[in-house]
């Protein structure tokens, strides 16, 4: 049997052929500048599943506008360490990455409309880029049963900022950290394919 690091239980069983397009997890998120709530799917990869790519759809309430808006977000996450704590719990002290988000509304634009003087807006109102970091805690489900769909549940807390805030801070030194940072909370549901689990138990593919 292959050796396993004692403090890192992460296992990424690779997909074969067309199975590579199947998502490995689902994610729910509250806040984070991409809507009051967002949900989507993602893919783990890397030797220990330390890379994650996710696609989320979020909802921005109407507030003072006439209707709610939809956001579309593409995330990339790197999780360098996972430390086992007891039988089922593990702590990932640092998850970091970046994401791009867009508002699906014709009231926002990528290039400045001609009705504004040239250079009036130096940024896009439709596209935003973010960086984030934060800790995570994972609770493993009893994955010895091949008929279970859920492998683990991860609780995430992230602090993020976007390109517009950073540029604004460059020109406006009165901006404070709390004006630039956003806090979000998420839940990740790790899935697995029962057929691959059975193959792994018997040592075949």
């Amino acid at each position: 049997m292959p050796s396993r690091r004692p403090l890192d239980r992460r296992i990424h069983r690779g997909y074969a052929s067309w199975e590579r397009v199947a998502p490995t997890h689902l994610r729910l998120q509250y806040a984070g500048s991409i809507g009051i709530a967002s949900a989507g799917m993602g893919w783990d990869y890397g030797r220990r599943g330390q890379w994650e790519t996710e696609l989320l759809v979020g909802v921005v309430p109407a507030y003072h506008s006439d209707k709610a808006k939809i956001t579309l977000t593409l995330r990339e996450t790197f999780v360098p360490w996972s430390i086992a704590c007891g039988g089922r719990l593990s702590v990932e002290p640092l998850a970091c990455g970046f994401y791009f988000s867009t508002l699906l509304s014709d009231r926002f634009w990528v290039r400045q409309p001609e009705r504004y003087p040239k250079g009036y807006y130096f940024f896009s109102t439709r596209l935003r880029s973010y960086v984030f970091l934060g800790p995570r805690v994972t609770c493993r489900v009893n994955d010895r049963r091949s008929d279970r769909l859920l492998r683990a549940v991860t609780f995430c807390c992230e602090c993020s900022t976007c390109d517009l805030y950073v540029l604004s801070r460059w020109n406006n030194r009165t901006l404070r950290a709390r004006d630039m940072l956003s806090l979000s909370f998420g839940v990740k549901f790790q899935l697995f394919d029962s057929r691959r689990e059975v193959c792994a138990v018997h040592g075949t593919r």
Side-chain angles (χ1 to χ4, degrees):
M1 295 179 62
S3 60
R4 187 182 304 175
R5 295 177 58 186
L7 294 181
D8 193 337
R9 293 199 189 98
R10 291 178 297 178
I11 302 175
H12 183 68
R13 296 179 175 89
Y15 289 98
S17 64
W18 61 268
E19 291 182 334
R20 294 179 184 274
V21 302
T24 59
H25 65 269
L26 305 176
R27 180 184 178 90
L28 300 176
Q29 180 169 310
Y30 170 75
S33 299
I34 59 174
I36 192 170
S38 55
M41 58 187 178
W43 298 263
D44 300 340
Y45 49 95
R47 185 175 181 181
R48 298 186 308 278
Q50 70 271 36
W51 292 98
E52 299 173 2
T53 299
E54 296 170 323
L55 185 63
L56 306 177
V57 177
V59 178
V60 180
Y63 294 124
H64 301 293
S65 60
D66 56 347
K67 61 180 179 179
K69 299 175 179 60
I70 302 299
T71 64
L72 184 63
T73 303
L74 180 64
R75 288 172 45 103
E76 184 69 22
T77 305
F78 177 60
V79 188
W81 308 291
S82 179
I83 304 172
C85 300
R88 293 189 178 183
L89 289 180
S90 59
V91 176
E92 297 164 347
L94 176 65
C96 57
F98 59 90
Y99 55 96
F100 301 96
S101 184
T102 181
L103 277 165
L104 303 182
S105 172
D106 55 7
R107 295 191 176 185
F108 299 88
W109 36 263
V110 176
R111 294 184 178 181
Q112 177 182 291
E114 296 181 357
R115 64 177 179 270
Y116 296 108
K118 184 177 181 179
Y120 188 81
Y121 286 103
F122 64 92
F123 58 89
S124 166
T125 60
R126 177 174 288 185
L127 297 175
R128 290 271 73 79
S129 59
Y130 299 79
V131 293
F132 69 90
L133 58 84
R136 312 200 302 188
V137 176
T138 297
C139 179
R140 299 174 63 234
V141 177
N142 184 10
D143 55 4
R144 294 183 179 180
R145 288 181 51 182
S146 62
D147 60 340
R148 285 188 179 272
L149 176 65
L150 185 65
R151 181 195 295 180
V153 178
T154 300
F155 300 93
C156 316
C157 178
E158 297 173 354
C159 184
S160 62
T161 188
C162 74
D163 51 359
L164 181 57
Y165 294 158
V166 174
L167 292 173
S168 298
R169 178 64 175 85
W170 184 268
N171 297 321
N172 185 359
R173 299 294 180 176
T174 63
L175 285 178
R176 293 168 292 183
R178 67 181 184 182
D179 300 322
M180 303 171 56
L181 301 177
S182 176
L183 191 63
S184 63
F185 301 92
V187 182
K188 173 187 171 186
F189 301 95
Q190 190 72 34
L191 310 177
F192 65 91
D193 184 282
S194 60
R195 185 172 52 180
R196 293 202 314 278
E197 290 288 328
V198 172
C199 292
V201 170
H202 293 285
T204 61
R205 293 181 65 90

